[in-house]
Amino acid sequence: MSTADTPEAMGLLTPRQQLLAGAKSMAPFLASAIPMGIAGGVLGLSSGLSAWSTLGLAMAVNSGTAQFVGFALIADGAGWLTIILTTLILGLRMLIYSTILIPHVKDVPQRWRVLLGFGLIDAVFFVAIERLKKGELTRDKHLYFLGASGVMYVTWMLSTVVGMILGSAVPDVEKLGLDFPMTAMFVAMLATGLANWRVAAVICTAGLTVMLAHGLPYNLGVVLATVVGAGVGTACEYATKGSKDDEAPDTAAEESENTEGMESSR
């Protein structure tokens, strides 16, 4: 059965089935989300936050990267303005994701796009964009996004609660290697992203920046790499649009010449 003949591509899935399909697509990522969520709950308490503050931060940012950097800043005594700005900057990569997704979700109602924008994370993007490019998401695609982001969000929050409960029993969480599954997951996602030259450019420049800025305090190297990567991604997007606009007149001119040639041959 070809991709075009799948139930997803033909729009045969019911809304409930589309929702479940999104949730099931996240199953491989739960193996990394659960231990990282537990680690987040432990680190939140060890950084000096209360249980409610730890859970509240996890619910608000919906980003493991921003959450862990935020805990490090809190533990180092950074001000709230610094923490908030850092969290916002770390989320700049979502602008790149959104730019890539815009052509595929134009038919999704605005109220859904706002909700799905909050639930957009790396895993959801990399899985969904492949299905969108293959034409496997047509009708009720917003429900697929909702199922995928919803199961990841709920799992992360529950894991954070478990981490807070186990916080006193697991004082040295870094020695357990709970960060390895997340690292492995990102390596796998980045490997698939390298097929797109724009994503590859962002990955390479951000990676080089974070290595060069490794010695900066408060993990600011990660922040700087995020800004540089977002800038490169935006530049690549505009460059691509510009080249397409330049090619369009040439294509139209060629078609016109071909038409005139055919008419003259008649």
Side-chain angles (χ1 to χ4, degrees), residues 35-259:
M36 286 297 292
I38 293 174
V42 175
L43 292 176
L45 296 182
S46 64
S47 65
L49 290 177
S50 66
W52 285 111
S53 297
T54 299
L55 183 60
L57 179 61
M59 294 177 67
V61 300
N62 191 29
S63 168
T65 304
Q67 184 176 330
F68 278 68
V69 171
F71 289 153
L73 292 174
I74 293 172
D76 290 339
W80 282 106
L81 180 60
T82 301
I83 296 172
I84 293 173
L85 290 177
T86 301
T87 301
L88 292 175
I89 292 173
L90 288 174
L92 285 177
R93 71 186 186 282
M94 297 303 164
L95 291 178
I96 302 175
Y97 295 165
S98 300
T99 302
I100 297 174
L101 287 173
I102 283 176
H104 302 284
V105 296
K106 286 183 177 180
D107 56 330
V108 176
Q110 181 65 32
R111 64 181 183 277
W112 279 106
R113 278 186 272 174
V114 173
L115 177 61
L116 300 179
F118 174 77
L120 182 63
I121 58 175
D122 303 278
V124 173
F125 170 78
F126 279 97
V127 171
I129 193 63
E130 289 301 316
R131 289 178 176 266
L132 288 168
K133 289 180 178 178
K134 293 177 181 178
E136 295 179 359
L137 288 179
T138 53
R139 190 176 63 183
D140 297 323
K141 63 183 70 173
H142 58 288
L143 294 179
Y144 178 90
F145 276 93
L146 182 63
S149 58
V151 72
M152 292 297 289
Y153 187 81
V154 172
T155 299
W156 187 267
M157 296 310 123
L158 292 176
S159 300
T160 300
V161 173
V162 172
M164 291 188 295
I165 295 174
L166 298 177
S168 58
V170 190
D172 298 324
V173 67
E174 295 179 358
K175 297 181 180 179
L176 298 179
L178 293 176
D179 57 335
F180 175 75
M182 184 65 77
T183 302
M185 180 192 74
F186 271 100
V187 170
M189 290 191 301
L190 293 179
T192 59
L194 289 173
N196 185 316
W197 72 269
R198 288 172 293 181
V199 178
V202 172
I203 292 172
C204 292
T205 53
L208 180 60
T209 301
V210 78
M211 287 189 292
L212 294 176
H214 179 68
L216 294 178
Y218 300 121
N219 288 317
L220 291 178
V222 177
V223 176
L224 180 61
T226 303
V227 174
V228 172
V232 170
T234 303
C236 290
E237 188 67 23
Y238 276 108
T240 303
K241 289 182 179 179
S243 63
K244 289 181 179 178
D245 292 339
D246 293 338
E247 291 175 0
D250 295 337
T251 303
E254 291 177 0
E255 292 178 353
S256 177
E257 291 177 0
N258 292 335
T259 302

